[in-house]
Amino acid sequence: DTEVTQTPKHLVMGMTNKKSLKCEQHMGHRAMYWYKQKAKKPPELMFVYSYEKLSINESVPSRFSPECPNSSLLNLHLHALQPEDSALYLCASSHPSGGLPYGYTFGSGTRLTVV
Amino acid sequence: QQQVKQSPQSLIVQKGGISIINCAYENTAFDYFPWYQQFPGKGPALLIAIRPDVSEKKEGRFTISFNKSAKQFSLHIMDSQPGDSATYFCAARVRGSARQLTFGSGTQLTVLP
């Protein structure tokens, strides 16, 4: 299994809603990431988990709350989002730094629209 | 110093032509240079990657050329096909960095039939 699976593929939520994005991988990767991607822009790193511990938070607003329940799962809990948070949210996994292969495997993303 | 500069922003090529996308970097701590291909509505997919101790790597129609002294690397797509129309991102990785990849700004490639 060489895939990163993200659900849901599309999500529309109101500014007062609470929702969660889910990500799953079974490649044995011990580093997992959340990225945010706006149209025609490169992915922007949000969070990095290494061995199920949060190692990087790129100054992301607290309305985004990541969770790594185990080595295969990564969640992103959303609350009180703003319309400018509408974007493609990508999950990725890799071997932690220093390991091979260096490449990331990205999921297909969740297209989030905040209304 | 973490930036990777990518050009051109967009590229239009005729079917069968050669597509060339360039990237430049400043940080000599980068030790891995991948290229990603992204189709609309999909996540980026690793296309090809190179280490700085190699000057060229070829996989099928895709070739990375790497110039360590100039701190530049480029992607060449030979015999470009309409199915290659996508956005391409170069990236670079700092050895030992938990932040992993630094992406270029992207190139939107259109291959005309």
Side-chain angles (χ1 to χ4, degrees):
Chain A
D1 188 351
T2 57
E3 286 189 346
V4 173
T5 303
Q6 290 188 244
T7 56
K9 293 192 182 305
H10 301 276
L11 179 62
V12 179
M13 60 184 291
M15 289 187 284
T16 58
N17 291 159
K18 288 185 179 180
K19 296 288 185 183
S20 296
L21 310 184
K22 297 183 183 301
C23 174
E24 187 169 6
Q25 58 89 14
H26 295 287
M27 294 177 283
H29 289 168
R30 301 305 296 274
M32 296 185 75
Y33 313 81
W34 280 115
Y35 282 85
K36 173 182 178 180
Q37 187 178 28
K38 290 282 202 179
K40 301 187 186 298
K41 297 292 186 182
E44 297 175 34
L45 184 65
M46 299 175 71
F47 302 103
V48 179
Y49 273 84
S50 183
Y51 294 95
E52 296 88 67
K53 293 189 188 303
L54 182 65
S55 60
I56 300 282
N57 176 341
E58 290 285 16
S59 302
V60 179
S62 59
R63 57 185 184 268
F64 295 91
S65 176
E67 178 194 19
C68 190
N70 60 54
S71 61
S72 299
L73 295 174
L74 187 66
N75 298 321
L76 185 63
H77 303 296
L78 313 173
H79 173 58
L81 294 193
Q82 302 298 310
E84 58 265 29
D85 296 322
S86 299
L88 181 67
Y89 288 84
L90 294 162
C91 174
S93 70
S94 76
H95 288 280
S97 59
L100 288 173
Y102 294 114
Y104 282 25
T105 301
F106 282 88
S108 290
T110 293
R111 174 70 61 188
L112 174 67
T113 303
V114 181
V115 296
Chain B
Q1 205 180 18
Q2 290 285 337
Q3 277 191 321
V4 177
K5 295 182 179 180
Q6 184 172 346
S7 63
Q9 185 176 357
S10 62
L11 181 61
I12 299 175
V13 173
Q14 292 285 341
K15 178 182 176 181
I18 302 174
S19 303
I20 302 174
I21 304 170
N22 301 299
C23 285
Y25 65 97
E26 289 295 326
N27 190 348
T28 56
F30 288 141
D31 73 335
Y32 173 70
F33 301 86
W35 284 90
Y36 284 84
Q37 179 188 56
Q38 186 175 24
F39 294 104
K42 299 292 186 182
L46 179 64
L47 193 60
I48 188 172
I50 198 167
R51 300 282 297 273
D53 53 349
V54 176
S55 61
E56 185 176 281
K57 183 174 181 179
K58 184 176 180 179
E59 290 184 1
R61 297 185 293 109
F62 301 91
T63 300
I64 298 179
S65 297
F66 189 86
N67 187 329
K68 188 174 181 178
S69 60
K71 298 181 198 168
Q72 296 175 346
F73 59 109
S74 60
L75 175 69
H76 295 236
I77 306 174
M78 311 299 288
D79 187 26
S80 299
Q81 299 296 312
D84 297 330
S85 297
T87 300
Y88 293 80
F89 293 100
C90 64
R93 175 191 179 275
V94 174
R95 182 180 182 88
S97 168
R99 285 179 172 77
Q100 298 281 326
L101 295 175
T102 299
F103 284 92
S105 56
T107 296
Q108 187 165 355
L109 172 64
T110 302
V111 182
L112 301 176

